Amino acid sequence: MADAVQQWACERVHQCYWQNDWNCARTQLALQCEAAQLSLPPLWAEAMAGLHGAGGYGAQCGLVEGMLVFLGLQGALAEESAEEISAHCRGFAAAFEARFGSLLCRKLRPQGFPQDGPSHACETLTAQAVVFARQWLLAAKIQGKMD
């Protein structure tokens, strides 16, 4: 199961980055919705445009932001309270920071966003974060297994 999820994440992240030219936040949100079989409203997907480290500023990582938006969407659909959704978001942020060492893009992507830098430099990290998020959802019993 873990190998299948890892392979799925690597393949889908690569497609989202190189075929769709999506950023990390949109990719995380889209893949979590895909795995949960939730429809991602097109406007929500487009709204993720500036959420890659606060538009490249280096603030909160888009991989975290994408997951927080997913938790909000999934929680709203499940009719959870704002307090329950906030608790899930806090829990994920703490777990992400413990696993990856930071919530900040500038720490996770220290090379920043130079104009002549590589596109999608966080592809490997993104696949790892997508898998981590799926595992966290299962462990937190927020969502069932990915089919």
Side-chain angles (χ1 to χ4, degrees):
M1 168 73 173
D3 289 340
V5 174
Q6 184 66 44
Q7 182 177 350
W8 167 81
C10 288
E11 290 172 2
R12 291 295 290 123
V13 166
H14 187 79
Q15 181 182 20
C16 290
Y17 277 4
W18 298 101
Q19 292 178 14
N20 302 336
D21 198 28
W22 292 351
N23 68 23
C24 53
R26 182 174 182 174
T27 297
Q28 175 77 286
L29 175 61
L31 295 185
Q32 295 309 322
C33 285
E34 179 181 313
Q37 299 178 346
L38 291 179
S39 178
L40 176 59
L43 186 59
W44 283 49
E46 294 298 323
M48 304 302 285
L51 296 183
H52 57 289
Y57 179 74
Q60 184 165 280
C61 173
L63 297 168
V64 175
E65 293 172 331
M67 183 61 174
L68 299 182
V69 172
F70 172 77
L71 289 169
L73 175 62
Q74 196 264 337
L77 291 170
E79 298 183 358
E80 292 180 338
S81 69
E83 291 79 17
E84 289 172 304
I85 293 169
S86 292
H88 294 320
C89 290
R90 274 192 310 277
F92 179 76
F96 186 97
E97 186 175 41
R99 165 63 176 84
F100 294 101
S102 182
L103 297 175
L104 294 176
C105 179
R106 72 175 62 92
K107 300 272 187 184
L108 298 169
R109 183 183 170 133
Q111 73 274 25
F113 293 89
Q115 285 192 339
D116 60 345
S119 296
H120 308 301
C122 291
E123 184 173 353
T124 300
L125 176 62
T126 301
Q128 292 171 354
V130 167
V131 171
F132 173 78
R134 298 297 315 145
Q135 293 169 338
W136 183 86
L137 287 165
L138 290 172
K141 296 183 175 36
I142 295 173
Q143 187 176 330
K145 284 185 166 181
M146 183 182 87
D147 294 330

